[in-house]
Amino acid sequence: MAEAAITVEGARKKYGGKGGAHALDGLDLRVGRGTVHGVLGPNGAGKTTLVRILSTLLRPDAGRIEVAGHDVVTQAYAVRLRIGLLGQHAALDEELGGRENLELFGRLHHLGARTARARAGELLERFDLAGTGRRPVRAYSGGMRRRLDLAASLITEPEVLFLDEPTTGLDPRGRSEVWAAVRSLVGGGTTVLLATQHLEEADQLADRISVVDAGRVIADGTADELKAATGADRIDVVLRDAGQLGAAVALLPMTAVSVDPDRRLLSAPVADRMAALSGVVQALQEAGIEAEDVALRRPTLDEVFLHLTGEDHRVKESA
Amino acid sequence: MSIGASTGAYALTDSWTMTRRELARWARQPAQVAVGLVFPVMLLLMFGYLVGGGRGVSGDYIDYLVPGMLALTMAFGLEGTMLAVTRDLDKGVIDRFRSMPMADGAVLVGRSAADMLQSTLVLAVLAGAGYALGWRAHGGPGGFLGAVGLLLLFRFAMLWIGIHLALLAGRPELIQAVQILVWPVGFLSNAFAAPRSMPDWLGTAVEWNPMSQTATAVRDLLGGPGGESGHVGAAVLWPLVLLAVFLPSALRRFARLSR
Ligand SMILES: Nc1ncnc2c1ncn2[C@@H]1O[C@H](COP(=O)(O)OP(=O)(O)OP(=O)(O)O)[C@@H](O)[C@H]1O
Ligand SMILES: [Mg+2]
């Protein structure tokens, strides 16, 4: 693997007060320079805690944590010079306009007034915000606000960029805009750590993914490796008549079929999507069983987690 | 959190940038700024003409009331500071500042500078309104500057209490509690009436109120009724004591945001 831009070894963090659980409980992570690394996990997994520690906002209780070659605790200033942060919630001055916000952050990065102004203009243009004029951020739509927030995190072309659920609350168009922006960054050599709850998002953007649960990495690998371990895609079949579920299970050309009688649903992992689809349709037709719906889909995050936590099946890091 | 390289070089620039941010916000919200300036004047009119206070005051009531109102306005500044810091915490913008290579403390220094500037403006407007209503300062330029200095020193102490409370509470809900509490504390003072007109226990509490000390010293320096010599020392000491407690403790709280 390439040189690491982010190294996390045994990170622990417990929020104040006794008896609380560990938000991070011995988390390990290694992110290669110039790659996009997805941190995938459900609510409360510790994603935001990890991002806040990596961006020097929060002090870890234990662990060795380096970003861009500098320790986040003892060399926080050096780290801050090299990172950009898009937090889970927008972090902007709501009364100021987009340009004013960007110029403010530029000046605080010590770009100098003229460079800060030029950079603000450039970023507004790039994120399609040039037409917002003097409108205060308060009056922005969710998507505009997120784009401005992302622009603010890119004010200095950071070496390492942290994105904490960058597309939560965005419509599909806003989401693909943010995704496109992230892809274009990676071309420029930026390392990205992307925390998300959506397998789809990690799948779209990340070179490697760490699945996090209860403050620990429970699986690590490329999207394909993870999906292979989870049984890849699934086929869902909804029957008209729940009474025929049993007969249908016997007919389907696949194993490990799960049955949900309430929803009249059969579900099974598939290896070859198209072969499975035509096989199922054909088998049902021949037996005269009526289906309301037949669909191929990716495994949901739930299924990835159930699989991973249920069997503690680890994907070995491909050396 | 310890810092790997010196940020001192940027201390002034960053603080100035943060102050300018506040000025830009004012430019965006002129109505709000105007309300902040007019509200104390309204209170002055209300107490000068409507409520008809001045119990136990000998001499011209306006000469007693204006210094009291000046001190009261400085005390109420606590609320504005707390509101602004809480809002920045709540909006996450302080987190963004903390993730950037800024000088330590610039966020709070910028806040202080902007609030002190605003308070100076408020003093000027309120004093101007008082002048229009017939109030006159009799203490000469030295007394006048001394009075302004004492008022701003008192405001500076209130400012750091405000920052401290905001960092302590960290949530907008608690602002209301402070907004309600600041009134009785402000009014349990000698701003409107002389303590000797009050029941003994109340008079004593009122005399001890740091705000009363500032008001009395200001009246003394400006040669108005209700001024007693010997209070300038207390009006310097009280804010310094409050600062000695709340300034370091606010800084500690700020550093503890990373806990
Ligand atoms: N400020 C805090 N004080 C106390 N506990 C906290 C605090 N922030 C987070 N936690 C707890 O730490 C754990 C991890 O939270 P964290 O916000 O890191 O999760 P997350 O993966 O980002 O979740 P989400 O997907 O909901 O954003 C949770 O159990 C949460 O309740
Ligand atoms: Mg989170």
Side-chain angles (χ1 to χ4, degrees), chain B residues 29-31 54 58 60 90 92 111 117 135 143 149 152 154 159 171 190 229 240 251:
Chain B
Q29 303 168 286
S58 51
D60 206 343
D90 193 49
R111 166 94 274 130
L117 205 62
W135 165 69
L152 289 177
F154 180 60
L159 193 152
R171 292 197 304 276
N190 63 9
S229 55
L240 289 182
L251 292 178

Side-chain angles (χ1 to χ4, degrees), chain B residues 118-201:
Chain B
Q118 195 263 352
S119 294
T120 310
L121 262 175
V122 168
L123 282 185
V125 169
L126 190 58
Y131 189 86
L133 296 175
W135 165 69
R136 294 293 177 267
H138 305 288
F144 183 79
L145 286 180
V148 170
L150 286 183
L151 288 164
L152 289 177
L153 177 66
F154 180 60
R155 173 67 180 97
F156 194 58
M158 294 298 113
L159 193 152
W160 283 94
I161 296 179
I163 293 177
H164 178 81
L165 289 176
L167 290 168
L168 190 71
R171 292 197 304 276
E173 301 90 270
L174 281 143
I175 288 200
Q176 273 194 346
V178 170
Q179 279 176 332
I180 291 166
L181 276 174
V182 89
W183 285 87
V185 173
F187 284 95
L188 280 179
S189 71
N190 63 9
F192 310 105
R196 66 177 114 83
S197 70
M198 305 171 186
D200 271 356
W201 62 272

